[in-house]
Amino acid sequence: MRVFATAVLMALVFPVSAQQGTETVEALTVTVGANHAPPYRIIEGGEPTGLYVDIFQEIADRLGWKVHYREAPFRRVLRMVQQGEVDVMLGPLETAERTELMEFVAPAFPPERRLFFYLNAEDRIERYADLYGRAIGILEGASYFSRFDTDDKLLKEPAPRYENLMLMMQKGRVDVVIAPELVGLYAVEKLGLDVKVSPFFVPGERSYIAVAKNSPVLKYADDIRAALKLIELEGIHEDLVLKYMDRFAE
């Protein structure tokens, strides 16, 4: 049944003129701009991997694309999109400002809670109001949730990586760090810090495969969506999500 359904889906979403197996006619090389943010994007120390990278690679394989990664801090990747240096970002949240630069093609990645990490008991966050008066570590250029992002009364201290933010907290330069759940837990584990998680958290939103509006890849937006549906139908998408959730969320 799965094989039959896959064949039907491919026939519907990949026109004969655009097929070579499941590949697009052009053998594209797609440049992905990515910040090193394990376990989503593991760009340093060998072949790129991570949950978002592995999902996108499955999509690229079905489209016959070659993928090249350019690693940079998150805010710098946004500039690279604007300047036409990269075609794709993996995992940004959709905001009004970003929609001017990118087409949010497919919500390919699962939602994830935003957690508040702390070291000292007095910095435990029980409710949103507890954030006032505390120095909060944030990733440069990142978006967390609307109220937080637009709240000018909060004291926010940026850094290019979550590991940097955790070390800033250890040194007393920030009181709290906000981070997506798995990224934050990974950073804490890697650094071996005795960091605690506040009971207050914010539910996550699905994040996207986003394509630069100035990129030739944009004309293949429907192909990306179709290939994503295909790997979901095959069970590959779910397998990858569970693999990383089991590994890093223990």
Side-chain angles (χ1 to χ4, degrees):
M1 178 62 72
R2 175 177 290 183
V3 172
F4 174 75
T6 300
V8 171
L9 179 61
M10 288 170 58
L12 289 173
V13 298
F14 293 108
V16 173
S17 61
Q19 286 187 41
Q20 187 176 5
T22 57
E23 303 164 7
T24 52
V25 171
E26 298 181 62
L28 293 180
T29 297
V30 178
T31 301
V32 175
N35 61 309
H36 180 69
Y40 304 138
R41 300 172 293 270
I42 305 172
I43 309 300
E44 296 182 344
E47 189 72 18
T49 186
L51 175 58
Y52 294 179
V53 172
D54 290 356
I55 288 173
F56 187 71
Q57 190 59 55
E58 291 285 346
I59 291 170
D61 287 347
R62 281 152 182 76
L63 298 174
W65 293 353
K66 295 180 180 179
V67 183
H68 170 67
Y69 286 88
R70 290 190 59 183
E71 193 276 332
F74 187 87
R75 187 168 61 178
R76 170 61 181 151
V77 174
L78 290 172
R79 288 201 299 269
M80 291 162 70
V81 169
Q82 185 176 26
Q83 294 165 2
E85 298 177 27
V86 300
D87 301 300
V88 171
M89 284 189 73
L90 303 179
L93 297 181
E94 185 174 9
T95 67
E97 183 179 9
R98 293 173 186 172
T99 55
E100 297 179 5
L101 301 176
M102 297 179 283
E103 185 78 25
F104 286 77
V105 169
F109 313 117
E112 190 167 10
R113 299 184 301 172
R114 272 46 182 162
L115 303 183
F116 293 89
F117 296 84
Y118 69 99
L119 278 171
N120 302 316
E122 61 269 24
D123 295 318
R124 175 183 168 100
I125 306 300
E126 301 276 355
R127 54 192 177 277
Y128 185 88
D130 294 339
L131 294 169
Y132 294 112
R134 291 181 168 86
I136 307 163
I138 64 169
L139 186 72
E140 291 177 348
S143 176
Y144 295 100
F145 59 99
S146 180
R147 181 180 179 184
F148 180 88
D149 296 337
T150 58
D151 194 338
D152 294 332
K153 296 179 181 179
L154 295 176
L155 176 59
K156 304 170 189 175
E157 297 291 342
R161 292 189 176 183
Y162 284 106
E163 289 92 340
N164 300 130
L165 292 170
M166 296 300 179
L167 291 173
M168 288 167 62
M169 185 165 61
Q170 183 186 41
K171 296 174 182 178
R173 293 172 55 191
V174 298
D175 304 309
V176 177
V177 172
I178 182 174
E181 185 169 2
L182 293 190
V183 170
L185 294 174
Y186 181 96
V188 168
E189 180 182 354
K190 179 180 178 181
L191 296 170
L193 300 179
D194 185 21
V195 173
K196 301 175 182 64
V197 177
S198 293
F200 177 76
F201 68 89
V202 178
E205 305 172 33
R206 291 187 72 88
S207 54
Y208 282 75
I209 295 172
V211 179
K213 289 188 173 178
N214 56 15
S215 168
V217 175
L218 187 57
K219 66 182 179 180
Y220 297 109
D222 287 340
D223 299 73
I224 293 171
R225 285 187 280 265
L228 174 61
K229 289 180 181 178
L230 188 57
I231 67 169
E232 289 175 340
L233 185 64
E234 293 173 346
I236 292 172
H237 184 277
E238 181 180 18
D239 289 346
L240 287 171
V241 171
L242 292 176
K243 169 187 169 183
Y244 282 94
M245 290 291 184
D246 288 348
R247 181 176 176 186
F248 293 107
E250 295 176 354

